[in-house]
Each structure stands twice: as structure tokens, then as C-alpha cells.
Amino acid sequence: MPRTKEQFEAMRTETKNKIHSAAIKLFAKKGFAATSIQDIAVRAGISIGLLYRHYKTKEELFNDLVIYAAQGLEHMINKFRNGSSPADLIQQFTLEVLHDLEKDEEFAQFLMIMNQSSAMEDPSPQVQYLNIQSEEMLKETARLIEKGQELGQFKQGNASEMAFYYFASIQGLAMAKISASERFITPSPEIVTAFLNT
């Protein structure tokens, strides 16, 4: 019996997810330059021909991952601007990040390659877009901390420094997750945000 359009779409999505997962692991472990299309196809368990049906180049695949990350940041920036309690927003975001870190290594690996992309020479428009969103997220977090300070929810201090420290902590946890693997202990949200508490 011939497959339906929905079945073809489901198979296409499943293959794309396999490619993304394999690429994230390899880019994080070997770096973008040292990873080949063949490496990604082997890791994903598909033929190179099938991979090429989805992505013509390694750069196209990387840019697709970058756009996904940038859109995620854009979504969080909009959430941070919605007028809710700064303490609640920071708590919710921290919980989501820690949950993703605890679930598996892929989120940590994804954070690592997004961090690598910010240092790329001659970045693609997609990487430039990600860098803009990353900078905006940092600024929006600082604004949120300032608002929380005004409301008495957070301790006083330089909000930009505090925002930078917060994201450096998350990046450090991602590195620890990758290096410690099974031994990694996910800290509580209270520990991660302790520097903000009055």
C-alpha cells in the first residue's frame, strides 16, 4: 500500500532529527571544520545520498541549527518582555535550562556549538543573526534584573555584570555536563540564581 503524504512527512522529520542530533554531537566533539558530511551521515545511520536530499552542504546544515537556536532566543526575549514578575521569569527560564541539561547531553552540546559560532571568522548571515539575538538576550536579562531590583526581588548590583555572570554559569554547566557525563549533578535553580537573591 503506498505511503500517505503524512507518512512521508513523518519520515522526513524523523530523518532530519537524526541528522540534527548527529551533527550537534559531532560539531561539539570534533568542531565544525573537522566534521565531514560523511561523518554526520554515518553517525545518523543514513546514506550520504539521503543526507544530501536534506542539506547540500555542511554549512547549510549548520546554519539550519543556528536559525533554530536564534529563534529559541527570540522566543525567550519576547517572554522576558511580557511584563510578568522578573523573579518568576528568571526562575522559569532557569528551570527549563536545568531540565534540558539533566535530560541528556544534546542540549549541552548544542549550547557549546552555538558558543563556538559566535567566534567564527566571516560568519554567515544566520550566525550574525544568532549573535544579534544572543546580545539582545543578554541586554534583556540585564533589563529584567534591573526591574527585579526596583521591585526588591533581586539584590542590588550592576545588572549587566549579573546577567553576564548568569549566562557564564549556564555555559559552564554545559561544559561540565559534557566532560562529567554520567557523573554530572544538576544543581538546583536556587543554587544557580543564588547570586540574585536578596
Side-chain angles (χ1 to χ4, degrees):
M1 192 172 165
R3 291 190 176 101
T4 65
K5 188 180 175 184
E6 289 77 19
Q7 287 172 321
F8 271 118
E9 195 51 47
M11 286 169 61
R12 183 176 166 74
T13 300
E14 186 185 347
T15 302
K16 213 165 188 180
N17 288 340
K18 282 183 186 175
I19 293 168
H20 286 180
S21 185
I24 288 166
K25 286 177 174 64
L26 289 166
F27 290 152
K29 187 177 178 182
K30 297 173 69 172
F32 176 77
T35 301
S36 70
I37 282 283
Q38 182 162 355
D39 293 335
I40 297 166
V42 168
R43 183 73 188 235
I46 62 171
S47 69
I48 292 181
L50 182 55
L51 194 151
Y52 276 126
R53 280 191 218 158
H54 292 269
Y55 297 103
K56 300 287 179 265
T57 64
K58 180 175 67 169
E59 288 75 15
E60 188 183 319
L61 167 54
F62 186 79
N63 286 334
D64 204 20
L65 293 173
V66 165
I67 286 294
Y68 178 76
Q71 287 170 343
L73 282 177
E74 203 168 9
H75 174 70
M76 280 315 303
I77 290 163
N78 290 332
K79 259 186 157 177
F80 276 18
R81 289 176 177 157
N82 79 2
S84 296
S85 157
D88 290 348
L89 285 167
I90 292 283
Q91 176 80 355
Q92 182 189 358
F93 179 69
T94 306
L95 273 169
E96 286 175 18
V97 167
L98 294 176
H99 172 74
D100 286 343
L101 278 174
E102 192 167 29
K103 194 170 56 177
D104 57 39
E105 280 187 17
E106 192 167 298
F107 178 70
Q109 292 162 337
F110 192 60
L111 284 181
M112 294 303 295
I113 63 170
M114 292 309 104
N115 192 45
Q116 288 172 24
S117 73
S118 66
M120 280 183 157
E121 288 181 22
D122 194 25
S124 68
Q126 292 88 344
V127 170
Q128 289 174 38
Y129 171 55
L130 174 64
N131 292 341
I132 289 165
Q133 294 307 314
S134 297
E135 193 60 37
E136 197 54 39
M137 183 70 176
L138 198 59
K139 287 178 188 170
E140 203 54 49
T141 304
R143 281 194 283 268
L144 199 64
I145 291 170
E146 273 181 356
K147 187 178 170 189
Q149 289 169 336
E150 288 165 12
L151 294 169
Q153 295 177 341
F154 300 140
K155 69 170 68 165
Q156 294 303 309
N158 184 304
S160 295
E161 287 178 11
M162 293 165 99
F164 198 87
Y165 176 83
Y166 176 68
F167 285 108
S169 300
I170 291 170
Q171 195 65 41
L173 286 171
M175 288 176 71
K177 171 73 176 185
I178 291 168
S179 60
S181 193
E182 304 300 318
R183 295 176 290 112
F184 179 76
I185 299 168
T186 307
S188 69
E190 291 72 29
I191 287 174
V192 176
T193 59
F195 74 101
L196 283 171
N197 300 331
T198 52

